Amino acid sequence: MSTVYLNGVFMAAEEAKVSVFDRGFLFADSVYELIPVVDGQGLEMQAHLQRFANSLEAIGITVEMDWQELCLQLVEHNGGGHQAVYVQVSRGSEGRRSMTYSAAIQPTVFACCQPIPAPLARPVEQVSGVKVVLTEDVRWGRCDIKSTMLLPNILARQLAQHACAEDALLVKEGLVLEGSSCNLFIVRHGEIVTPPLSPHILGGTTRSLLLQLARQAAMPVSEADISVAELCSAEEVWLSSSSRGVLPVVKVDEQPVANGQPGPVWAKMAALYQQHTGTYTQP
């Protein structure tokens, strides 16, 4: 039986209850964050918590909480080890369904965690790469807020699953922005390129880390728009996320990326990531 946190109390998951009038349930009026904790330490913990704070501020929710301590305590309550901690804050409930809310409304704070596989120091030579598919981006205009309003992402991910693909890349006005749950990188003329931060993408913590590691290693890198044509002609394509690390893409729809094998720039980047984090979680 797992332990969760709800509004100041650690309890069995089966005992946790939220009002049917909670605005997170009714309207997806809520934000969340997912933080991997490995051997008692959060991977890029401060970056995750800053993004969470940005999301809360963007929708006008204020909560006084030591989020780092909450995450670590929750992992301890669930046996320690390697856990993915999920934290969600909704605007709360006022016992009615209404689009408007009062200033006195109290947020609902919820957190849970689940085991993740032990980190692997897997040689990059053993990584075969994955397939992605392209689909139109039908999300709302503030994708930089990590909202629980994820229906478009869910439909895109299901599309990918049906196509036996790792993820779906989202296309808006001819530009490829990101995946349903990951950021996008390509290698073009030897340069690492990722779409620039904007309201149309979520600023990933792993994305930021990879840019930092690339610049420290004097690898050429830029933040620039990526068209569908540029994606399909790229020398390499990668996905990045906290749960995937940095993952090579070898096929877009049914078209191979370059020679259909993970590329040398990815291999160098993956080694830098593994060295920095002590983990490479994707087979």
Side-chain angles (χ1 to χ4, degrees), residues 44 71 73 94 142 224 238:
E44 299 299 304
C71 291
Q73 285 187 20
E94 293 184 304
R142 289 299 308 274
W238 317 336

Side-chain angles (χ1 to χ4, degrees), residues 35-46 48 72:
I35 307 168
V37 176
V38 175
D39 293 328
Q41 294 196 353
L43 295 182
E44 299 299 304
M45 173 75 84
Q46 294 309 313
H48 279 286
L72 298 180

Side-chain angles (χ1 to χ4, degrees), residues 147-176:
S147 164
T148 59
M149 187 173 60
L150 293 173
L151 182 57
N153 307 63
I154 290 168
L155 296 177
R157 193 63 178 270
Q158 281 298 111
L159 176 70
Q161 182 172 299
H162 292 158
C164 299
E166 172 70 19
D167 210 335
L169 298 181
L170 307 174
V171 179
K172 194 178 191 71
E173 298 178 352
L175 299 179
V176 191

